[in-house]
Amino acid sequence: MTIDSLRIMLECNPDFKPSFASGLHLRGLFYRALSSVDPSLSSRLHDYKTLSPFSISPLIRIGPGRYLFRVTSCLSELSDALVKAFSKMSKVELLNRSFHILEISYTRLDLEKLVKSSAPCRKYEIEFLSPTCFRRPCPYIPLHAMGFITRILKLFSKPKSHYRFLPLPDPILMLRNLKRQWDRYAGLNLRARRFDSWLEGGGVALSGVDGVKTYRLYNRARKRFFVGFTGRVRLSLPADIFREDCAKAVNVLLKLGEETQVGVNRTGGFGMYKILKRHE
């Protein structure tokens, strides 16, 4: 199984600094481009009711008049359609500006190699580059217990899910989301026994933050606000319940998230991060 990343470099004059909300506009460009080559696939993805098989970065300024954005796909059908669509374009209209397409690059993340090469790191420093937010179930139910509790609730009534948005760096919610992505699209065993219960039991802890800020962005199309945080975060795997197989799984999931992004609104530029440091 592979994850595909399409990076598109653009040029625009005069030079300007894109805002975090640019990801919401890039989502519109994504659907317009996809509709031009495969309207059926575009419609299916637009009506998706579960975890999205793609993510979109915000527009990133990489130099005077030069910009870059990334689309990551978990479906080969989608990857092929996007390459076809953007290869036909010489320019795009975005943010009330005209951009010339300078370059299209394509990379592939081999998940089998990622699992085999994973290292059992004990510490990480991560920088969240675009606003990131997680959904927290209320009341909070540990992930490894949800199946059992859902079956019990079905005996009495239809179970209801209540969520609240949390614009804070919670390592458990972050890795829960990445694990959902893995289980949904990787098609591979993570090779970590009872990972969910280990994680919920404090397997990964927040050990520090630096420059964390929160943002509130308004999406006019959906007539709703999105909240999220940016900044640097340090994570550690406490020694008292450290397990090598789970530590390797954390390494895999964090590397996956560098490409697929994490949390809510990944298709609108949210949840982009990079691993700055890691220590075994």
Side-chain angles (χ1 to χ4, degrees), residues 135-139 141 146 150 153 158-164:
R135 290 202 314 165
R136 189 181 191 279
C138 298
I141 302 173
M146 287 187 70
T150 298
L153 289 174
K158 184 178 179 181
K160 297 180 180 179
S161 297
H162 300 280
Y163 291 91
R164 296 294 180 265

Side-chain angles (χ1 to χ4, degrees), residues 19 25-26 35 53 57 62 72 85 136-137 156 169 180 245 249 259 273:
S19 70
H25 296 269
L26 284 169
S35 294
S57 75
I62 57 175
T72 300
R136 189 181 191 279
F156 301 97
R180 282 185 63 216
D245 61 336
E259 296 296 328
Y273 70 86

Side-chain angles (χ1 to χ4, degrees), residues 125 208-213 230-234:
E125 184 174 350
V209 299
D210 184 23
V212 169
K213 298 180 180 179
T230 61
R232 295 191 178 190
V233 172
R234 293 184 295 279

Side-chain angles (χ1 to χ4, degrees), residues 134-198:
F134 304 107
R135 290 202 314 165
R136 189 181 191 279
C138 298
Y140 185 80
I141 302 173
L143 195 62
H144 64 277
M146 287 187 70
F148 172 76
I149 292 175
T150 298
R151 289 194 295 271
I152 294 296
L153 289 174
K154 282 183 177 179
L155 296 175
F156 301 97
S157 63
K158 184 178 179 181
K160 297 180 180 179
S161 297
H162 300 280
Y163 291 91
R164 296 294 180 265
F165 291 110
L166 183 71
L168 294 171
D170 185 313
I172 294 178
L173 295 180
M174 179 181 183
L175 286 159
R176 276 174 60 134
N177 182 269
L178 293 173
K179 178 70 160 40
R180 282 185 63 216
Q181 293 183 44
W182 181 274
D183 291 342
R184 178 80 179 179
Y185 296 111
L188 293 172
N189 191 316
L190 201 52
R191 302 180 184 177
R193 181 176 56 85
R194 299 189 66 194
F195 177 82
D196 294 337
S197 58
W198 172 83

Side-chain angles (χ1 to χ4, degrees), residues 102-144:
L102 298 180
E103 180 180 299
I104 300 173
S105 60
Y106 182 90
T107 59
R108 177 162 285 177
L109 179 64
D110 189 319
L111 299 184
E112 288 188 7
K113 289 183 179 179
L114 185 62
V115 171
K116 290 178 181 178
S117 63
S118 178
C121 298
R122 294 174 180 264
K123 294 181 179 180
Y124 295 88
E125 184 174 350
I126 296 171
E127 182 175 7
F128 289 88
L129 303 171
S130 69
T132 303
C133 182
F134 304 107
R135 290 202 314 165
R136 189 181 191 279
C138 298
Y140 185 80
I141 302 173
L143 195 62
H144 64 277

